[in-house]
Amino acid sequence: MLQLVRLFDELPDGFDDLVAEASGEGVRNMALLADGWRSGARFQDDGEAILAAFLVGELAGIGAMSVEPAASESARRLRRFYVRPAMRRRGVATALASALIHEGFDSVGLLTVNARASEAAGLFWEAQGFVADTSGPWTHVMRRDVGPGDVERP
């Protein structure tokens, strides 16, 4: 069973192992998350979120979202995203991404992501609906579809 949990006061049990596994793959984002967390960056301001994914009770991955300051319109950046190698191909990354995408689109029409962490990252985000875009400090963007009855929010 997969469970997504919003984090508030502390990082979950098993986070140090997640950092070690990411570092072992040459991915720095979990170490950056740990450093930021120690200095008070908790992804709890307006437009921010951090989610942990647990698969059968074990920490499987983490994903976060923050305000994208470099965009010329209101936008959110999906970031600090990592799924343990043993937990991949089980829907964990897709569930985390989907939850963050839906939450982001509740308030803005543009999401960004930096997929430079690994070769597979760009392909993963494209499978989620992002398109390559290098017009800012990101690698991919996704725009919310605006239907006939929808109102585009600033």
Side-chain angles (χ1 to χ4, degrees):
M1 180 172 124
L2 178 65
Q3 180 183 22
L4 300 181
V5 176
R6 187 177 297 266
L7 302 178
F8 292 102
D9 297 325
E10 44 186 62
L11 294 168
D13 289 342
F15 180 73
D16 291 340
D17 293 334
L18 200 77
V19 173
E21 289 180 32
S23 296
E25 289 189 280
V27 177
R28 298 176 351 144
N29 62 6
M30 290 298 99
L32 292 171
L33 174 58
D35 291 344
W37 196 270
R38 282 190 290 274
S39 67
R42 302 293 167 93
F43 296 94
Q44 293 178 8
D45 291 336
D46 284 344
E48 295 185 336
I50 183 167
L51 303 174
F54 294 88
L55 190 59
V56 192
E58 184 179 349
L59 179 62
I62 286 185
M65 179 176 59
S66 64
V67 171
E68 173 58 81
S72 60
E73 62 188 274
S74 292
R76 301 289 182 264
R77 177 178 285 210
L78 278 63
R79 59 189 325 125
R80 305 297 182 256
F81 199 94
Y82 183 76
V83 174
R84 302 173 91 159
M87 301 292 184
R88 294 178 187 158
R89 305 270 182 228
R90 296 179 173 188
V92 175
T94 300
L96 272 170
S98 180
L100 292 168
I101 289 166
H102 283 94
E103 184 163 337
F105 281 152
D106 278 347
S107 59
V108 299
L110 175 66
L111 302 177
T112 70
V113 67
N114 179 344
R116 293 181 184 100
S118 71
E119 286 185 33
L123 295 173
F124 169 76
W125 290 111
E126 288 168 12
Q128 306 315 304
F130 282 77
V131 295
D133 180 296
T134 56
S135 65
W138 48 75
T139 61
H140 293 76
V141 299
M142 179 190 276
R143 289 202 171 273
R144 179 179 62 216
D145 290 334
V146 180
D150 293 341
V151 176
E152 180 75 19
R153 291 175 247 177

